[in-house]
Structure formats: C-alpha cells, structure tokens
Amino acid sequence: MQHLTLYTIDIDLLCQKLAIYGVTDRSVRWFKSFLLDRKQRVQVGRGISGTASSSRGCPQGCLLSPLLFLIYIADMKLWMEKSTLCGYADDTSTSFGSSDEKEVINVLEKDAKNLLMFMASNSLAANPKKTCFLFFNRGKKCTPQSITVGDKIIYESPYHNVLGLVLSNDLTWQNHVYGKDGIMPSINRRVGALKRLSYHIPMKYLPKIAEATVASKIRYGIEIYGAIRSSSSDPQCSITKDLQVSLNHAMCIAMKSRIKDHVRIADLCDKTKIKSVNHMSAESKLKMVWSALENDESALNDIFTSDDCQPSASSRSKARGEFRLQANTTLSQKNVPNTAMKLWNAVGTTLKSCQKKSSAKREITKIVSTFPIV
C-alpha cells in the first residue's frame, strides 16, 4: 500500500528531534534561527507581492530541506507493528505478506491507522487521492479486496505507478511497457519529437539527444523489468524485441538513415554509441548485484546476502561467489532477483573479485559485449 504525504514540518518538533538525536544545543538554535520567520514574496511579470513571514516547513530548493525532512520522519518506522515500511522522499509504502488474506487486510489496516496517528502527531497528512492498494495473490482469482485507511475506503488496483515503475498485481511488466502510462507510448512520442527535431538540428547532436530522450527512458528500471539473452540459444522476450524496434527507429533518425535501408543493429549501436536493450538490461543487472554486494548499506544488500541465497560454506558454488537460486515458479524465474543472480552465477570470477567501481564497470562492459545484440 502506497501513501503520498502532504507535509508541513513543525519547526519546534523538528528541533526537539534534532536534540534527541544528539545535535548540540548551539546547532539546534542555528537550525531554529534558519527556519523560523523566513521572508518570502511572489513575482508575476513585473509585479511583486508584499513580504510574508513563514515559520513552518523548509524552504523549497534548499540543499538542507530533504535531509531535514528525512530526519523529521525517521521515527515513522517505530510506529509500525508488523508491516514493512519503505519510503522515498514523500512516497511511503507499507507491505505485509501472509497466506491468509484476512490477516493481510487486518495488519495493513491496523498499521495504516498507526501511520495516520504518526502523521497527525507530526503535522503531516496522507493524500487519499494518491493512496493505492495492490494485492499480490500469486495468480489466484479472487474477489477484489478493499482496505480502510482512516475514513476512506481504498479499493484494490490492478496496477500502480511507483517511482516510475508500473507494478501489476499479476507480477508481469505488460502495464509498465504497454499501458496507457507505460514507457512504450512515451518512447514513441519521443521518437516522433526526435524526427521533427532532426530537420532543424545538425546530425552530430542527434545521437546524444536520442540517448538522453529515448534510451534513458528504456534504461530506467531495466534491471528490474528487463529480460536477458546471454547466448543466441536463449529465447527472445517480446517486450525486449518491441523496445528494441522503437530504439532502432530513434537510432536511424539520429544517423539520418531510413528503416527500409536495413542497417544492422550492431552498426547503429556502434555509430550512435547507444547500447541495445539486451545489453542495457544485462549491464544494469550486473552493476546492481555488484553494488549491492560491495555496499553493506545498500537497500539490496540483505537480498543478495541472505542465508536463502547463499550456498553451503563447503560447496564449490560458495568458492566461486555464486548464489543459490530459490525461484521455483515460472514467474519468479523471470523476475528479479532470480534473473540477476542467475546472470551473476554465469559470469567468471574476475568481476566478483573487483573491488573498485571503475574496474568492475570495465569488466561488466567486457562481459556484456559477448552477449547477443538482441
């Protein structure tokens, strides 16, 4: 369940929390002086409003504001009883898993109540219009569920956009790619815009524009939703093929060539310096695993270092730095973390022994270059 928070930081309460966390009295007074009685005004054209004072919230655009907000909500997790709490900026989500559907509903409703109590105690409020409830039921057909959050009933949604990734309750990526707000419609609009720009912009700039507008849209989150072909014998994924076709159109426009010219994809990638979708996916997954293993504070470190993923200490797999794959359904085998761990197991030991990011990046590029373009 995801909540979007409407917040106005209470300065006095923030200062109390800073003191509890060990900030010195002098520093607390500085923060209080910095945040209280700030002056602001609005300019529209040549007209400028009168000055108004503000003693709530943090100034927008200030480098300190995101950090202060994170400090302000750092104790939110303490209010949860059974749910797992995750947050990014003002997006907060709670989750709970059980084979008992009623237990899931009860736990989420109870912790939603706790979350609203925290917000009320801290001058915060959840936006009911942007609160969503997703119910993952392993493909079982059941009556749509609903959950009560405060005085609002939130009905189950089949999918929801979370930080740019469209999560579906069937655990597939069809909505993320092909949905109304999916990346394919967005990519096609960008390809059209690139085509119009190509008549007015010198050719030398077009590959960089194609990379920044089209390839970057595909790359975002591809380590999560992307499939991989590490050899020509691996089956092709329809999503990857469709994304590659759109990317080919963008690269053709950037090179001032036509689709009917049948330029090889490898040549397009080489001339534009844009990686194919398959190479993007493989590279991103390997970087994700390496970064998670090397950084103990990574949010993904617990996933890849859990006992379930580690082979026995005496096995050869342990010595080679491999994972023990736990996916036992077709769906879980196609999704992360199984796809990333399977790829990691298939690469040599050179990457696994890299300790510097630069050397790991070079080795990943070398490995991925041996994979099929599409």
Side-chain angles (χ1 to χ4, degrees):
M1 182 170 58
Q2 185 187 38
H3 313 266
L4 184 68
T5 306
L6 303 174
Y7 63 92
T8 302
I9 292 179
D10 185 311
I11 306 303
D12 289 331
L13 185 55
L14 172 63
C15 290
Q16 292 178 34
K17 292 187 178 186
L18 288 171
I20 292 173
Y21 294 147
V23 178
T24 63
D25 290 342
R26 184 176 183 179
S27 296
V28 171
R29 289 196 300 271
W30 181 91
F31 278 111
K32 195 166 188 175
S33 174
F34 171 70
L35 295 171
L36 287 176
D37 297 323
R38 297 186 65 88
K39 308 298 181 183
Q40 61 186 34
R41 57 184 181 175
V42 178
Q43 179 175 351
V44 180
R46 295 183 178 180
I48 301 177
S49 70
T51 302
S53 297
S54 175
S55 294
R56 296 184 71 84
C58 293
Q60 185 175 2
C62 174
L63 293 176
L64 271 176
S65 295
L67 177 61
L68 292 176
F69 177 66
L70 291 177
I71 293 173
Y72 190 70
I73 65 171
D75 56 329
M76 184 186 294
K77 188 175 181 179
L78 301 177
W79 292 63
M80 298 294 99
E81 295 185 22
K82 293 185 178 181
S83 299
T84 299
L85 182 72
C86 294
Y88 182 84
D90 59 349
D91 278 310
T92 305
S93 64
T94 55
S95 60
F96 180 75
S98 172
S99 58
D100 187 342
E101 295 178 6
K102 291 184 179 180
E103 183 184 10
V104 171
I105 300 297
N106 291 336
V107 168
L108 290 178
E109 285 187 337
K110 188 173 183 179
D111 277 337
K113 182 179 180 180
N114 293 335
L115 185 60
L116 292 177
M117 289 174 61
F118 168 84
M119 291 181 176
S121 302
N122 288 268
S123 300
L124 306 173
N127 187 341
K129 294 182 180 180
K130 294 188 177 180
T131 298
C132 175
F133 173 43
L134 274 177
F135 195 81
F136 302 100
N137 56 13
R138 295 185 178 180
K140 298 178 182 177
K141 293 184 179 181
C142 59
T143 304
Q145 303 285 347
S146 64
I147 188 170
T148 302
V149 179
D151 59 350
K152 302 291 183 180
I153 297 177
I154 309 299
Y155 293 96
E156 177 186 355
S157 299
Y159 59 89
H160 187 63
N161 191 316
V162 180
L163 301 177
L165 284 175
V166 181
L167 303 183
S168 300
N169 59 7
D170 60 0
L171 297 176
T172 67
W173 298 103
Q174 298 296 314
N175 284 309
H176 176 68
V177 177
Y178 302 109
K180 180 181 177 182
D181 299 321
I183 60 174
M184 187 64 79
S186 177
I187 290 170
N188 291 336
R189 289 193 295 269
R190 294 172 186 220
V191 171
L194 181 65
K195 179 68 174 179
R196 294 189 292 273
L197 284 173
S198 67
Y199 298 117
H200 309 284
I201 295 178
M203 179 179 167
K204 64 180 181 179
Y205 299 120
L206 292 177
K208 291 184 179 179
I209 296 175
E211 165 67 34
T213 59
V214 179
S216 64
K217 186 68 176 180
I218 297 173
R219 186 180 296 107
Y220 180 79
I222 198 171
E223 59 269 35
I224 305 298
Y225 76 85
I228 306 171
R229 291 186 75 221
S230 57
S231 70
S232 57
S233 61
D234 292 338
Q236 287 189 321
C237 172
S238 59
I239 286 179
T240 302
K241 288 173 64 177
D242 291 342
L243 291 174
Q244 187 64 53
V245 169
S246 294
L247 182 61
N248 291 346
H249 289 169
M251 292 191 291
C252 283
I253 293 169
M255 297 310 302
K256 299 283 189 176
S257 62
R258 298 169 299 179
I259 297 296
K260 64 181 182 180
D261 292 336
H262 299 295
V263 181
R264 294 172 62 247
I265 297 176
D267 292 336
L268 288 174
C269 292
D270 182 60
K271 292 177 181 179
T272 60
K273 307 302 179 186
I274 296 175
K275 291 182 172 63
S276 71
V277 177
N278 187 52
H279 284 190
M280 286 185 200
S281 180
E283 187 176 87
S284 297
K285 287 180 190 292
L286 288 174
K287 286 181 179 178
M288 176 181 66
V289 178
W290 184 87
S291 299
L293 293 176
E294 290 297 315
N295 183 6
D296 292 340
E297 296 182 357
S298 169
L300 300 176
N301 182 267
D302 290 343
I303 294 176
F304 294 113
T305 59
S306 68
D307 293 338
D308 292 338
C309 296
Q310 297 302 311
S312 59
S314 59
S315 68
R316 293 181 181 180
S317 297
K318 183 73 173 181
R320 292 194 296 264
E322 297 180 358
F323 296 108
R324 182 172 60 184
L325 304 180
Q326 296 292 306
N328 51 18
T329 65
T330 302
L331 191 61
S332 60
Q333 289 170 1
K334 292 181 179 179
N335 282 319
V336 290
N338 186 76
T339 52
M341 293 192 294
K342 184 178 179 180
L343 179 61
W344 182 263
N345 288 351
V347 304
T349 58
T350 305
L351 173 60
K352 297 164 186 174
S353 61
C354 290
Q355 297 183 342
K356 293 184 177 180
K357 187 175 181 179
S358 57
S359 58
K361 189 175 180 179
R362 286 193 300 268
E363 183 61 23
I364 289 172
T365 301
K366 181 180 176 181
I367 292 170
V368 172
S369 66
T370 65
F371 292 179
I373 292 290
V374 293

